[in-house]
């Protein structure tokens, strides 16, 4: 995650405000909302031998703001991937008929 993005999201999650500066005018807006985020692992593959923090390269202060983490791992299998793709194509083909 880009350091500038981490700073911006940290303010929103910690202080529940967003500060915007445009044309010399500085405004602070309320930001009371739930945040659902997704992250891809470094290198595109989740390394089970590393921690979550090492896999997504997110700082500890940002990670501490989230209540839950769900890790979804796609085990590479050409046979399974082909079967899923075939099923999706078949479903869409039948809808068009």
């Amino acid at each position: 995650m880009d350091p500038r993005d981490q700073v911006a999201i940290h303010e929103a999650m910690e202080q529940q405000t967003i500060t915007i500066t445009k044309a010399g005018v500085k405004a602070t807006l309320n930001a009371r909302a739930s945040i659902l985020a997704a992250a891809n692992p470094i290198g595109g593959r989740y390394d089970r031998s590393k921690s979550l923090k090492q896999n997504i390269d997110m700082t500890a202060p940002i990670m501490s703001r989230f209540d839950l983490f769900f890790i979804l791992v796609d085990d590479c299998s050409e046979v399974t991937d082909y079967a899923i793709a075939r099923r999706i194509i078949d479903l869409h083909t039948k809808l068009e008929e």
Side-chain angles (χ1 to χ4, degrees):
M1 184 177 217
D2 186 82
R4 292 175 296 180
D5 294 334
Q6 288 187 34
V7 169
I9 197 171
H10 191 260
E11 177 188 1
M13 294 173 81
E14 182 180 63
Q15 299 170 9
Q16 295 185 341
T17 60
I18 298 287
T19 304
I20 301 171
T21 304
K22 293 283 183 187
V25 177
K26 183 177 180 181
T28 301
L29 308 171
N30 288 332
R32 292 185 187 103
S34 298
I35 297 175
L36 176 65
N40 287 322
I42 298 168
R45 295 264 177 229
Y46 191 85
D47 184 348
R48 293 174 193 246
S49 67
K50 294 181 181 177
S51 69
L52 174 63
K53 183 180 179 309
Q54 292 170 319
N55 269 288
I56 61 174
D57 193 29
M58 191 178 288
T59 63
I62 297 292
M63 289 183 74
S64 71
R65 298 290 168 198
F66 288 97
D67 294 324
L68 300 170
F69 289 93
F70 293 97
I71 300 170
L72 304 177
V73 179
D74 178 23
D75 293 322
C76 296
S77 168
E78 190 173 330
V79 173
T80 304
D81 291 348
Y82 179 82
I84 292 169
R86 184 79 258 158
R87 175 74 174 143
I88 292 169
I89 291 169
D90 289 345
L91 286 171
H92 286 280
T93 304
K94 288 178 184 175
L95 288 175
E96 293 175 0
E97 293 176 353

